[in-house]
Amino acid sequence: MKAVGRMLHVDDGERLEAWRSILTDDVTVGQLPPRQRRLAWMFFGLLAGDRPLGDVDEVFAAVRARSDMRDELIDLLDILADRSRTLAQPLEGGDVNPLASHATYSLVEITAAYGLTDARGVLKRPREGVLWEKASGTDLLFITLEKSEKDYAPSVRYADYPISPQLFHWETQNTTSPDSGTGQRYISGTGKVVLFVRERKRDDRNETRAYHCLGYASCRRHESSRPMKIVWALERMMPGWLYQAGKVVAG
């Protein structure tokens, strides 16, 4: 089952517990509390993310009806829970958004956590490295440390790397200047910024890698234009292993 391979990164207890409940209880997603509903959407995104979100109950019912599929997924969730060592901290406490710093997420899980769909009702999969989430006033930054020639054109091989466990150097898109609306959001602190970082685009199976949520960040300093060079100060220090990996990539 392809969904199993898409779930191997899951490493926080809240997701694992919520998803186990979906598999073992005959629940209707629309009747769940808002935060639990977002967690259900994240699970749906991995199981059938190319289908409209309106199909969520149909998909979950079909999985529960297949005892072999359901049991395989439950076994996987138990294994992931047993091996997890992530010290995840909720971004917003009891807020509707269930994302947590230092937990690991696929792109579709992140957009599901914010309730972002396209015109077809399908969970969004942004193709660029930035996404403005207007409802919560949050800029989501998706960062790949090691940018291969195969996956990234020279014009978008931005210099993104950790300076220290709490400071991260990042370059904006080539169209962003300090006096633009986006640039002003970044440097003024009027909106929120969340960093999502991965070591490289693909893993050893050639599957797309998930992102580690580093949590909220604020602009410490900036220079240049198109692209802007920004040093972000993280509210929570990044994991040591990720900092070391970033240092290796930066040279």
Side-chain angles (χ1 to χ4, degrees):
M1 183 169 44
K2 291 184 178 180
V4 169
R6 293 194 290 266
M7 292 171 56
L8 298 179
H9 63 275
V10 180
D11 55 0
D12 70 289
E14 185 176 21
R15 257 183 304 174
L16 294 166
E17 183 178 346
W19 294 1
R20 202 179 198 286
S21 293
I22 288 169
L23 293 171
T24 56
D25 301 333
D26 188 11
V27 297
T28 300
V29 172
Q31 296 176 338
L32 293 173
R35 187 179 180 92
Q36 298 300 113
R37 196 179 309 149
R38 295 284 178 92
L39 286 161
W41 293 349
M42 294 165 76
F43 193 18
F44 171 80
L46 294 179
L47 293 176
D50 57 342
R51 293 180 58 170
L53 201 54
D55 292 346
V56 61
D57 286 321
E58 178 184 339
V59 168
F60 288 154
V63 171
R64 288 192 292 264
R66 286 272 308 274
S67 59
D68 57 335
M69 183 184 300
R70 181 200 61 206
D71 293 346
E72 183 177 359
L73 288 171
I74 290 173
D75 288 344
L76 174 63
L77 295 177
D78 290 343
I79 291 170
L80 294 175
D82 185 62
R83 79 177 190 186
S84 176
R85 300 294 183 270
T86 300
L87 299 176
Q89 293 183 2
L91 288 185
E92 299 288 354
D95 188 77
V96 63
N97 188 325
L99 294 181
S101 64
H102 293 199
T104 311
Y105 303 98
S106 67
L107 197 57
V108 73
E109 287 176 278
I110 296 168
T111 57
Y114 284 94
L116 299 175
T117 58
D118 62 20
R120 302 167 298 159
V122 175
L123 290 167
K124 281 188 176 180
R125 285 181 173 80
R127 298 189 178 187
E128 299 178 325
V130 296
L131 180 63
W132 166 238
E133 206 288 289
K134 186 175 181 180
S136 64
T138 307
D139 281 287
L140 311 177
L141 311 184
F142 304 107
I143 302 164
T144 302
L145 297 173
E146 185 180 312
K147 301 174 180 67
S148 67
E149 294 181 4
K150 176 183 177 182
D151 293 319
Y152 296 88
S155 60
V156 294
R157 285 187 214 138
Y158 301 114
D160 305 326
Y161 54 86
I163 298 171
S164 74
Q166 200 147 20
L167 297 177
F168 197 98
H169 181 279
W170 177 76
E171 289 187 347
T172 69
Q173 293 180 304
N174 292 317
T175 56
T176 305
S177 63
D179 58 354
S180 67
T182 299
Q184 281 296 301
R185 281 203 314 272
Y186 291 158
I187 64 182
S188 68
T190 54
K192 296 181 284 188
V193 175
V194 181
L195 270 59
F196 298 92
V197 177
R198 62 185 177 185
E199 294 176 78
R200 58 190 64 87
K201 184 174 181 178
R202 301 186 187 281
D203 61 19
D204 295 338
R205 301 169 299 150
N206 203 35
E207 297 288 340
T208 300
R209 293 178 70 103
Y211 291 88
H212 303 284
C213 177
L214 296 189
Y216 287 119
S218 58
C219 178
R220 174 67 60 87
R221 59 182 180 269
H222 68 92
E223 62 181 359
S224 303
S225 179
R226 296 188 176 92
M228 296 171 61
K229 298 178 181 181
I230 298 177
V231 173
W232 296 110
L234 298 167
E235 285 189 0
R236 184 185 182 194
M237 288 194 295
M238 71 181 68
W241 67 266
L242 186 57
Y243 171 57
Q244 293 300 326
K247 284 179 61 179
V248 170
V249 171

